[in-house]
Structures are given as structure tokens and as C-alpha cells.
Amino acid sequence: MNERITHIAADVLYDRLIDRTQIDYLFSLNGDFVWDILYWANKIRKNFFGEEIKVCSIIPARLGGCSQDCKFCAQSGRYDTSFKDIKTLSDQQIIDAAKTAKQAGIRHFGIVYSGKTISENELARLEKLIPKIKNEIGIDICGGFGIIDYSQAVRLKKAGLARYNHNLETSRNHFKDIVTTHNYDSRLETVKAASQAGLGICAGGIFGIGETDADRIDMALELRGLGADMIPMNFLHPIAGTPMGDMPAMKPLEILRLIALYRFILPKAGIKVAGGRVLNLRDMQSWIFYAGATAILSGNYLTTAGRAVEDDVRMIKDFGLEADLI
Ligand code: SF4
């Protein structure tokens, strides 16, 4: 066992946030040392979260046809994919999806919209729909509706939204190579506005989009500074027609190493393994918990198929952990 990793892990376990020098050291390690990092990441997860794994599901209430140009995203209307045109779900379709999620035992149901932001009409619709779903079905509602300001965040909070999802996607430095139609600060300001309005913060990013380890560290530290309480980690699922359609998939061990390193940097934030899990991790999916993940996005992702909730719950139980179900 590498002693320096053990010392850094002890800092984390004693509730001391690790600094950039320590983080750089951990990121410099490869080969067999990755197993030492995973060993301690599992201890850190157990220390701060016990045996419970959250299971979330999402419904794309508005899918595709987005005006923005995020290079990894099949929902951009600028790329030739099957999500080029907008599809919008009716209230009843969203309610039915929430009922199905509840019947599967899901506690946290996310409603997400493609697009840069939401209109006044859409916000007014959500102000009616969120309390209706909460009261009639009894499920926590999370939401991601793009860039919003403080007054919009307050209205969503008043409607009963529990948590706002808005990913930083990558580091400030790499962001400009990935997106040109909006800037990094608009993402930061949205997360801050949601936080100031009292919403929980679900903010993370996507990996395997040409970022360096330095970019990964920068984003983790940005998320730590923002106080995000749930960090979705997505791993590129290359989609034909997008500028990243030919990018190589990440390797399972590279993903596990990255989850574990985020667990060291963000010891008290939930880490949710989201898009790209099935494609990239294949038979190594259950190892995400040993690497420090505390949540999974189950069911289908926004533009790719996922796994049935019951298969994911069985995976959690097979690993000796408990699924946080209703
Ligand atoms: S990530 Fe969001 S903002 Fe970017 S293209 Fe996709 S839907 Fe639009």
C-alpha cells in the first residue's frame, strides 16, 4: 500500500479537504496504485455515506432541437442526429412517467428540458406541474431547465422543486473548445442562483471529451467551491452526427480511477454515475461503488438506452449495499 495515498486518505477521513498538491499527486499515479486509490475511496464512501446508494431517474420533458452547440450532445439542433427536432412531452406523459418511477421504488425523479433556457410559459407550466406531481404521486422532483436566474430559481423552489441540475460539463479552460454559444460563467451563475434560492445542487460534468487531468481537477475544485451536493459524472457515449461521434470510448479502469479521485476531492458530495455507464463500463459497472459512487441514474438516459431499475437495484444489493428506495 502506497503510504502517501494512505496519509492523504487519512486527511479526508479526518474531515480535512485535500489541497491541489495532494490532488496533483493522486492524479499522477497509475498502474497498481490505482487499486490503492480505489481501496481508500471505498473507505471514504463508507465513512461519509454508509451503505446507501441513491437511485434516480429522469424524463426529458423537452428533447432535442437545442439551439446550442455543445459538441458532445446529440440534442443540439445543429448536428445531424435523430434528436435534431424538438419533441415535447405532455403533462400527462410526464405524470405517467413519474408514476412508473414511483412504482419502481424511485424517490428522486428528474424533469429535464433541452435548450439554453426556459420561457415564461414553460416556467408557468412547471409551477403548476411540479406541485401536482408531488402531491398526487409523492415523489421528490429535481429539474434541469438550462440557464436560469435567481428569480426563476425562487419560483421553482416555491413550486416545490427539491434540486436543480445544471452541469458545468468541464473546466473553464476546456469549455470554450466544447461550447461556443454560451459561456462558462452563465453556468456558474445558474448554479449559484439555484443555491441562493435554497435548491439542492446537482452539478457535474462529462468526461472523455478531450479534457486533460488538469481540466478534471479544475472542475472538481470548482464544484467543491460551489457546494454542489450531488455530482453527476457522465462519460461520453459518442453519437454519430455530433462532432464527437468518432471519439474513442473511455476505458473502464480510467473511469473508476476518476470516480475515486473525485471521491477524495469531494468527500461529502454524492457522486452519481450517469450517462455512458452501460457503454463504457460494461461488466465493471458494480465497481463504481467501490470507487466511491453513492448514486446512479437508472432507466434510460436522455438520448441513449440505460438499464431497467430492477437490474440496477439487484446490482446494488449484489454488491452488499442498500438501494435508497421508497
Ligand atoms: S448540453 Fe444542453 S445546452 Fe448543450 S446542446 Fe445539449 S441540450 Fe443544448
Side-chain angles (χ1 to χ4, degrees):
M1 183 70 67
N2 174 307
E3 274 191 28
R4 192 162 170 202
I5 302 175
T6 304
H7 287 309
I8 295 172
D11 272 351
V12 179
L13 289 166
Y14 280 108
D15 225 354
R16 291 188 289 265
L17 290 177
I18 59 173
D19 63 24
R20 183 80 192 217
T21 307
Q22 292 171 303
I23 296 167
D24 284 342
Y25 173 70
L26 292 176
F27 269 82
S28 73
L29 298 171
N30 271 301
D32 278 351
F33 291 132
V34 171
W35 298 107
D36 292 358
I37 292 169
L38 293 183
Y39 171 85
W40 284 112
N42 185 49
K43 295 269 183 217
I44 295 166
R45 177 190 59 74
K46 273 176 174 282
N47 186 64
F48 291 111
F49 291 89
E51 305 299 329
E52 197 174 88
I53 301 296
K54 284 196 180 343
V55 183
C56 311
S57 76
I58 50 171
I59 183 86
R62 183 174 68 195
L63 182 69
C66 180
S67 61
Q68 304 299 291
D69 69 351
C70 309
K71 284 187 182 167
F72 54 83
C73 184
Q75 296 198 71
S76 171
R78 297 166 185 246
Y79 310 137
D80 195 13
T81 72
S82 52
F83 305 98
K84 201 171 167 54
D85 300 317
I86 291 185
K87 292 188 189 96
T88 310
L89 295 189
S90 67
D91 285 4
Q92 195 53 51
Q93 286 172 306
I94 298 168
I95 290 167
D96 289 346
K99 274 187 195 149
T100 304
K102 170 93 186 257
Q103 279 157 10
I106 297 272
R107 269 178 195 272
H108 312 277
F109 179 71
I111 304 173
V112 292
Y113 274 48
S114 61
K116 186 176 182 183
T117 184
I118 47 169
S119 67
E120 174 53 35
N121 280 349
E122 287 160 338
L123 182 55
R125 175 198 187 196
L126 289 164
E127 285 180 304
K128 291 193 190 115
L129 187 57
I130 291 168
K132 188 173 162 73
I133 295 174
K134 273 190 77 173
N135 297 336
E136 285 182 15
I137 301 170
I139 192 166
D140 277 355
I141 310 286
C142 309
F145 315 115
I147 294 164
I148 55 167
D149 63 20
Y150 175 70
S151 66
Q152 291 171 308
V154 168
R155 285 171 63 183
L156 289 165
K157 169 77 181 166
K158 278 191 185 149
L161 195 75
R163 179 177 278 127
Y164 199 73
N165 166 246
H166 198 62
N167 291 334
L168 300 186
E169 307 302 9
T170 188
S171 69
R172 176 185 289 280
N173 187 48
H174 191 46
F175 191 83
K176 59 185 181 316
D177 300 327
I178 301 298
V179 185
T180 66
T181 46
H182 61 273
N183 61 33
Y184 199 65
D185 284 318
S186 62
R187 290 195 172 247
L188 287 181
E189 291 310 315
T190 294
V191 173
K192 287 179 190 165
S195 178
Q196 281 160 9
L199 291 162
I201 296 301
C202 177
I206 180 164
F207 303 89
I209 56 169
E211 78 284 359
T212 62
D213 273 351
D215 293 314
R216 293 163 172 175
I217 297 169
D218 287 350
M219 185 174 81
L221 290 174
E222 195 85 72
L223 292 166
R224 196 165 83 177
L226 289 167
D229 56 86
M230 181 61 85
I231 316 286
M233 295 181 78
N234 298 279
F235 303 95
L236 182 72
H237 183 144
I239 305 277
T242 66
M244 296 200 161
D246 293 328
M247 289 284 277
M250 291 179 76
K251 295 197 167 56
L253 275 181
E254 188 187 359
I255 291 174
L256 296 176
R257 165 185 172 267
L258 199 47
I259 296 168
L261 292 167
Y262 265 53
R263 173 50 62 223
F264 269 80
I265 302 171
L266 295 142
K268 290 187 179 173
I271 289 181
K272 173 164 60 185
V273 178
R277 167 164 61 97
V278 179
L279 174 87
N280 292 295
L281 281 160
R282 300 186 290 279
D283 291 345
M284 298 291 280
Q285 285 182 67
S286 61
W287 278 81
I288 59 174
F289 308 122
Y290 194 70
T294 58
I296 50 173
L297 184 60
S298 192
N300 288 337
Y301 307 117
L302 291 176
T303 60
T304 57
R307 299 203 324 163
V309 174
E310 50 277 23
D311 290 342
D312 282 336
V313 169
R314 189 176 56 226
M315 175 175 74
I316 291 166
K317 289 183 178 165
D318 285 350
F319 212 82
L321 300 170
E322 293 159 19
D324 174 31
L325 297 173
I326 291 167

